[in-house]
Amino acid sequence: MPLVQPHHVVVGHGGLIMGNPGDRPYPAEPLPTPKADGSLRDIRVGIIDTGISSGADSDHSDWFAERYAKEADDVDPAYSSGDFFALQGGHGTFVAGVIQNAAPGVTFDPEVALDQNGFGDEERLCRKITELGQKKISVLNLSLGCFTEDDVASEPLRRTIEALPDDIVVVASAGNQGTQRPSWPAALCGVTAVAAAEQKRDGSLAPAFYSNWGHWVDACAIGNRASTYLKGEWQLPGEASATPFALWAYWYGTSFAAPLVTGRIAATMAADGITAAQARDKLLSGAEFAPGYGVFVK
């Protein structure tokens, strides 16, 4: 066990940074409002990400209103300047929408550990994990991660997650570099690591080309999907014109496969009247989807 390690940078797994082959978000048509399940109101999910948009509860009232407490330090800055999105601005709002689509009506607690470009550090991440561990959450979603020297587990992340109450299930994205190299915290023992699958034009499913994979992965889900987003414009250097967004987006990455699994765990808890750990184990009891990609979760 290392006595000293570098202070690791963690990144959101939505693409465009750290060499990720993932892509930028694209405008999408509004999604049908999922019918809220009253039994999910008493189940709470923690989301540590870029935060949530300042107007999420009004812009997407059928998805978010009265399902989280509005706090100033939970707001995603989202923009690089004016109404132009930063590299991962809106990432947390998108993730929250995926969870609501999978578990309509579930309450959640958004916390900020990544800036609007998708960068953070393990010190702040560990602090936020500890804070949520002191609240009554059942599942914690971490659509982020990092690599480490010699692929040895991050000690701060390992110790922090091991210190969580036993009844909290942690779900983390596997990363988007298309490698077997372990991403932390997803590769930690006890964390449910989620890779991405994609749906082909003929309707068949296959491992997503960008997804990390390996013996440390527990599950996979569709990583290319539409979800809740913000108003603004996207324009990368060299692009001739900006792309406008109107509250909805299509994006892909393991960042968006993980919250699907998080939501399914919460929905299974409510439907079967079982604990988060029991719901996770039920979802992971299926056959392996593909070597290194775990069980496919719909």
Side-chain angles (χ1 to χ4, degrees), residues 52-273:
I52 189 130
S53 67
S54 58
D57 60 334
S58 55
D59 291 337
H60 298 286
S61 58
D62 292 338
W63 294 66
F64 299 134
E66 299 181 357
R67 296 179 193 177
Y68 71 101
K70 292 191 72 171
E71 298 178 354
D73 61 353
D74 293 339
V75 173
D76 182 354
Y79 306 96
S80 58
S81 64
D83 63 351
F84 285 92
F85 288 113
L87 289 177
Q88 288 201 16
H91 189 270
T93 304
F94 194 103
V95 165
V98 174
I99 292 173
Q100 283 295 325
N101 211 1
V106 72
T107 58
F108 63 99
D109 192 333
E111 296 289 345
V112 177
L114 302 175
D115 67 17
Q116 63 267 45
N117 287 309
F119 292 102
D121 65 82
E122 61 187 341
E123 180 180 4
R124 187 179 189 187
L125 174 57
C126 288
R127 186 168 67 249
K128 291 299 181 179
I129 291 172
T130 299
E131 287 179 13
L132 282 178
Q134 297 168 351
K135 300 181 180 180
K136 294 181 179 180
I137 66 168
S138 297
V139 192
L140 173 59
N141 189 89
L142 302 173
S143 289
L144 47 79
C146 66
F147 293 139
T148 61
E149 187 79 17
D150 297 327
D151 296 329
V152 175
S154 159
E155 276 301 295
L157 285 173
R158 184 185 69 81
R159 292 170 185 262
T160 300
I161 288 175
E162 285 186 355
L164 288 173
D166 292 339
D167 57 354
I168 296 177
V169 168
V170 181
V171 178
S173 52
N176 303 337
Q177 290 80 20
T179 178
Q180 295 186 64
R181 189 179 179 188
S183 175
W184 311 98
L188 289 171
C189 292
V191 173
T192 302
V194 183
E198 59 184 341
Q199 192 162 22
K200 302 295 186 180
R201 291 183 178 180
D202 63 2
S204 63
L205 295 174
F209 73 93
Y210 55 83
S211 178
N212 291 352
W213 58 287
H215 65 87
W216 48 277
V217 171
D218 302 292
C220 64
I222 298 294
N224 48 309
R225 58 181 65 249
S227 185
T228 50
Y229 201 57
L230 293 70
K231 290 183 178 179
E233 294 185 298
W234 247 95
Q235 188 170 19
L236 293 176
E239 290 184 334
S241 59
T243 303
F245 285 77
L247 301 177
W248 302 91
Y250 176 87
W251 214 342
Y252 65 85
T254 59
S255 270
F256 317 125
L260 186 283
V261 174
T262 294
R264 289 287 185 255
I265 290 172
T268 303
M269 288 176 65
D272 295 357

